[in-house]
Structure formats: C-alpha cells, structure tokens
Amino acid sequence: MAETTEPIAVIAWVGMGSNQQEPRFQVARARSALNGLPETLLAWVSQDYLSEPIGGVAQAPFVNAVARLETRLSAAELLRALHQIEEEAGRRRAVELVWGPRVLDLDLLLYGELQSQDSSLRLPHPEIAHRAFVLRPLADYDAQMSIPGLGTIAELLPAVAEQKLWPLPAEADDSTRGLRQSC
C-alpha cells in the first residue's frame, strides 16, 4: 500500500478591517471565523488598530488587525473562505464603492512565498507596501519578515510613517488575541 503524506501547512497572512456595524465586533467575529477554518490553525493575531480611511471617500475610521494562519488550504481555497466570511458578515462586493465603507474586509496578504499576478489572486497583496494598517501589525510580529519581491517590513515602514494609526486596547472578552500556537 502506498504511503500518503499530509500536505505541508503554509503560513498565510490575512488583513482584517471594518468601519461599519460595530467594527471591533466585526473584527473579533472575523478572528473567530478564521479560527474555525478547516485544515487551518490561527497561530497569531495582532492587536486592533484604528486607522484613517484611504482613498478619498468620506467615511468613519477603520478597525484593522492582521492574523497569521498555518493552513493546508490552497491559496484559492483560502481566498474563497475569506470571501464567504465577508458575505456572512453582510459584505456585498457588487454594490460597494472602491475604497468605501466596509462591514468586513478580509485580504489575503501573503501565502507563503507565492507571488501571483493572476487577476483573481494577486500575491503579495498589491497594496501591502502602501498600508500602515497592514505593515505595523506585521512588524509587531516580526519587523524583519520579508515580503516576497518587496523587502522586509522594516524597510517598507518608512514609506507609510505619515499614515495615522492608533493601537487600541485589548477587549476583555477577546480570547483569540495574541494567540501563539504551533501546528
């Protein structure tokens, strides 16, 4: 009988953001949903940050965080799962403004070392180097972490230093904050 081996888990990074319908609740609910994904371990979650919106659309500030996953899902499967979590939270991509308000926005930022320019799966996320609300939480984990094709987080941070970002205190009922587990 041939021996089968489990696929190796890949480290994936997911950005979370919301500025509608109780944003901290939406981000906490997203963390919980990520924690329940099949073949996936939620290994670490940043603290929440408050950020000013980008893109010129008048709207409320965002609550943002970043999560580190160890997953056996393919990048495409993981992206589909993220979109499903968004839809369950009430996001309707077809009717929203570009860079407008979001009940929940989950971005696949990194999937291992994969670099893809496919229109349905661009990795690293095309805006990763331009967003303090992504780079600062990643730096909290490891400022020397490399973004494929772009450099380290520490090298990218100076370009976003003027973007306003405020750390938010941990919420008392957030059991997934700062999670550090191994696969």
Side-chain angles (χ1 to χ4, degrees), residues 53-60 97-101:
I54 293 176
V57 175
Q59 58 188 305
L97 296 171
V98 174
W99 289 337

Side-chain angles (χ1 to χ4, degrees), residues 11-34:
I11 295 171
W13 291 90
V14 174
M16 301 175 279
S18 174
N19 72 342
Q20 293 185 325
Q21 300 177 22
E22 299 182 54
R24 288 200 84 181
F25 169 76
Q26 296 298 338
V27 171
R29 187 165 80 170
R31 280 192 296 273
S32 190
L34 292 175

